Amino acid sequence: MAERDEEMIRGTVQSIVFQNAENGYTVLRLRTEGGDQITVTGTIPMTLVGERLVIAGKWGRHPSHGPQFEAEFLERLMPETTQEIFSYLSSRAVKGIGAKTAAKIVERFGAQSLDVLENEPSRLAEIPGITRSKAAEMSASFRRQSGVRRLIEFLTIHRLPPELAVRLYRIYGPDAQDALRDDPYLLVDPYYGADFAAVDAFALELELPADDERRVEAGVLFELSFNLNHGHTFIPAEKLCAATAALLRLEPEIIRAGMTRLSEQERMVVDRVAGLEACYLPQFYEAEEYVCRRILQMTGELEAPSNLESLVDRAEQIQSLTYAAQQREAIRMAAQRQLLIVTGGPGTGKTTVMSGILALYDQMKVKTLLAAPTGRAAKRLAECTGREASTIHRLLESQFDEETGMMSFFHDEDEPLPCDALIVDETSMVDLQLMTALLRALKPKCRLILVGDPDQLPSVGAGNLFADLIRSGRVETVRLTEIFRQASQSLIVMNAHAVNHGELPVLNRTDRDFFFLRRRDPEAVVQTIAQLCQTRLPKNMGIPATEIQVLSPTRKGETGTKNLNLALQAVLNPPAAGKKEKRYGDFSFREGDRVMQIRNNYDILWKNPNGLGAGTGIFNGDIGVIVQIDYETELVTVDFDDKRAEYAFDLLGELEPAYAMTIHKSQGSEYRAVILSAFAGSPYLLTRSVLYTAITRARELLIVVGDEEVLAAMVRNDRRQKRYSGLKLRLEEGTA
């Protein structure tokens, strides 16, 4: 076939060779109206077999696959003939319709099938086996598919990510395109998470003036929101103005005028912090003020029981041990303070202190609850204390507000938690907003014990809460520094403390729980890690792959989590007959895969596998296993320990494989065995605190695979990202 210049081609999709659900890039086989079979490539999202397309583009030649038609623009035509309609419906384009049902519908209604499906769904109930409710579901799915697909075309034409379509349609329905034309910058809202540059280009295509007030204000708010990802709760006005001016390529005076308008509209708050003109998003200003005010209210002393020493002695007897001086002090303080912080590194006895406080509170008749930021941390807390523990989100009973599109909690000032004391573990992971919600849910006199390791990585969310509370000097803090005998025999513990003090870890011991395998080639690193997970640890040490977690400082690169997950899936969960899979983006999710939720989803439904409980919300960092992929219902079922959730195919972007994860994502979790990839990367990620956090994730075994020079560089690199936060200063000044 001769190569030609730009032309228009009509045809019917015969098969989908490849489709990236995230960006819509597709390779398909098309039967043209002239009867030719051709290969078409380009951004053609949500394409289905049997679909009729009009494609504008030009011919090119792939070095391996020969001539290909490169699509630039396209128009979708609904199937017309009965064969086309059958192909379209049997491709599972409509939820609830497979090949058998498609055949029945086409046999009954012929060329009018799609019109009946969209406009007269009740007639589908004339077909045996289709109830009126089922017909309504099919029609709703068809209309939604049609609306989403038209919206995707609109987004694609304007070079906006097609995955935005689902959320836009959920909020605006068939009016989504009009809403975008009215205000393209609505896509900058965190709910959509669209790239500002792409949205800005779209707005300028719609001929919005470069200095349009909506553009300026959206740019300022984008810079504020963007910096939340770096942990800042505010941005100095001077930096905010300069960053926005550079982003929008406008004069600073125009940006300052926009900032003034936002302040007057109360869409941004300006305050003085440490001599800086601090610019906040309103919710973070309010959160910082509230946390400060509430913490200051809780810092006073309580009247201790007259027999406190005997109560602590009795707690020792209950635990069958003798407390060290620092541990005893922490337990005593729990009786004397409404608010207490307990800090310490690995092996210093934080768990012993928490169990001791529980034993003390039991004697004092103080009803106590336990919580942690993540599911794994809560599970470990429960195992260590022998008491029930939950995530903070579940404790507060998170719920999704459909009107605002935001999360809310059932427990607050009006519905406080039913407890007299709350112990929170892994507090370094708690961000400003979560602490705000937690404090709102406590009774005025409720005790709060915050436990954690301030040398680990700070929270992913905004704020530097745990460190700010400690450094302010306003909260009673007991620091555990003594490493106990049993822990001192662990090379994991000793190396963690060595790294934290800027010393190199011991790498040449082979008789403990910390091993180093030198691999200076990235391919060798990946191969070694795969072998360790597949055979060496399960066979030689009796540690199954399900109890091994691979960690890497980076996502990208040959030894990053993205590549490691592909390699590990290939050996731990390869394709097999009868094992279903669903491709999304660059990864094929497969039944049996270990996966992780990568953003908070407050409205997803879950049920206990035993059917005895249900709720909403799967949260960033939750780990599960895919137990079923159902092509008919277009659902992927994932077990998250005691929660089973179903994901529609278009929600798979909220999951990623979790055979390997970044060290940041592993915070708050502990694993029987950890394999750490240590290879060259960005100095922003290869830091001492990152290495320290990785080492402290391992309970029984840690194997480092890579280059010792990388480890040495990480130990030397004590870079800690500066976070703009006003909490410490507010606490020091005693003002809110």
Side-chain angles (χ1 to χ4, degrees), residues 643-698:
K643 296 181 290 187
R644 176 170 290 183
E646 293 180 337
Y647 289 75
F649 283 175
D650 60 17
L651 280 180
L652 288 179
E654 297 193 355
L655 296 174
E656 68 178 25
Y659 299 104
M661 69 174 69
T662 63
I663 295 165
H664 282 79
K665 285 288 188 182
S666 73
Q667 282 181 268
S669 298
E670 187 179 76
Y671 309 95
R672 183 179 176 186
V674 167
I675 301 173
L676 173 62
S677 166
F679 207 73
S682 167
Y684 289 97
L685 297 172
L686 300 180
T687 67
R688 183 186 301 174
S689 60
V690 168
L691 179 57
Y692 174 77
T693 301
I695 294 172
T696 55
R697 299 308 91 205

Side-chain angles (χ1 to χ4, degrees), residues 25 50 87 122 209 213 238 244 253 276 364 409 427 443 485 487 611 656 664 672-673 698 712:
Y25 180 78
S87 297
S122 60
E213 290 185 359
E238 185 177 342
T244 309
E253 292 75 16
L276 296 173
M364 294 171 59
F409 294 103
T427 310
K443 298 174 185 176
R485 181 178 178 184
E656 68 178 25
H664 282 79
R672 183 179 176 186

